[in-house]
Amino acid sequence: KSIELGLLLDHQPDWHTYWTNPGDSGLPTQLQWQLPPGWDAGEIAWPTPHPIRVGTLVNYGYEGQVLLPVTVQIPSHFSADARDVTVRLHANWLICRVECIPEEGQFSLTIPTKSSTALLADSFAKAHAQAPVALQGSSQATVDGETLQLRVSGLPAALQGQSLQVLSESPDTLHHAMQDGKDFHQQWQGADWTAVVPLSANRGQTPQDIPLVLTTDQHRAVDGAIGWRTVAPLSGQWQAAAVAQVSPELAAALAKNAQASAPAAPASSGS
């Protein structure tokens, strides 16, 4: 069977952490599990984030309280001789207001093997309700110069006519801060939502497809969901951003300076 584990983040007012794609800046929270042999932890089932504006930047993340759930598969051959097992987690997150502070934590949790525990069942149910719903309809993405033309079908009928926001799960693809500007266009064509979205100036190589999450402007729930996920096949090629290169001479000089400025190793003390 499978169980669910997660990291619960309770932010102080005005502070936030980040989604899998943090947007214009930031880093996503990372979870490293230490589990019994054979147990397999999946990826974070990220709740739908909301845009967080800091100056001219637009980031994607969470404020208030958020639970990042993970499904853990227990193998059929697992047999616990003890009454309980212990799982451990090393977590890293970047907490930001205007300034940012990298933080980490070491956690452990003891789980009974002969009985069930579900003290936070409601919190896990709420977290899954905030995850984007997979769309059954088709989607298309076409490169057009410095923009991406999108067409998405299968969205709830109650959304038709509303303005939506589009978030890419892949960093360095879309230009986040320009979605509320004159270069971002969207409209409904019958039941299909279409948009022209500016590409990021820092975009990498063209992928085969692009995973997208759509939300309403105000993060309102529609038909019980606040986000909708689709993976759009990508047609066309965009020109990747130029990557600054460090010359071999400069790299050697930097390495030499770093070595010269490194503190001397402390002397060993005798026993």
Side-chain angles (χ1 to χ4, degrees):
K1 296 184 177 180
S2 63
I3 62 173
E4 287 195 281
L5 303 174
L7 179 69
L8 181 66
L9 295 172
D10 195 0
H11 304 80
Q12 294 294 327
D14 301 323
W15 291 81
H16 61 270
T17 54
Y18 294 94
W19 186 46
T20 181
N21 175 10
D24 287 328
S25 64
L27 292 170
T29 299
Q30 296 182 340
L31 308 181
Q32 296 177 314
W33 298 94
Q34 293 180 322
L35 303 171
W39 290 31
D40 184 33
E43 300 295 328
I44 297 172
W46 296 94
T48 303
H50 61 271
I52 300 170
R53 304 183 187 280
V54 181
T56 60
L57 304 179
V58 174
N59 301 324
Y60 302 128
Y62 310 101
E63 299 171 309
Q65 191 176 86
V66 63
L67 173 64
L68 303 179
V70 170
T71 298
V72 177
Q73 190 67 38
I74 302 176
S76 58
H77 57 75
F78 175 77
S79 177
D81 297 328
R83 295 178 55 187
D84 51 47
V85 295
T86 299
V87 299
R88 292 180 172 82
L89 170 66
H90 179 207
N92 299 84
W93 60 90
L94 186 66
I95 180 79
C96 298
R97 186 169 53 186
V98 175
E99 67 277 25
C100 292
I101 303 172
E103 296 183 339
E104 62 179 335
Q106 299 279 358
F107 307 95
S108 66
L109 180 67
T110 300
I111 305 173
T113 60
K114 305 300 182 182
S115 61
S116 63
T117 177
L119 297 179
L120 293 176
D122 290 343
S123 297
F124 278 95
K126 180 180 178 181
H128 286 296
Q130 293 173 342
V133 175
L135 290 178
Q136 300 303 312
S138 61
S139 58
Q140 300 173 352
T142 304
V143 178
D144 183 12
E146 296 295 309
T147 65
L148 198 65
Q149 296 187 6
L150 301 175
R151 176 178 291 272
V152 179
S153 64
L155 289 162
L159 280 177
Q160 293 179 21
Q162 297 190 39
S163 296
L164 303 181
Q165 294 179 326
V166 56
L167 291 66
S168 171
E169 291 182 359
S170 304
D172 298 333
T173 52
L174 304 184
H175 195 312
H176 316 295
M178 291 179 66
Q179 285 202 47
D180 53 1
K182 61 182 179 62
D183 294 316
F184 175 54
H185 309 281
Q186 61 173 298
Q187 63 178 331
W188 287 87
Q189 297 181 354
D192 290 355
W193 179 82
T194 65
V196 178
V197 187
L199 290 169
S200 170
N202 299 318
R203 57 188 179 270
Q205 298 297 321
T206 308
Q208 292 184 342
D209 49 45
I210 182 169
L212 302 170
V213 172
L214 302 178
T215 69
T216 60
D217 278 347
Q218 303 300 321
H219 229 56
R220 296 184 303 271
V222 174
D223 292 350
I226 60 174
W228 299 266
R229 184 180 187 272
T230 185
V231 179
L234 194 58
S235 299
Q237 296 282 325
W238 63 51
Q239 184 176 357
V243 179
Q245 299 290 333
V246 177
S247 68
E249 294 79 7
L250 178 57
L254 292 173
K256 184 176 180 180
N257 288 342
Q259 185 177 9
S261 60
S268 303
S269 59
S271 57

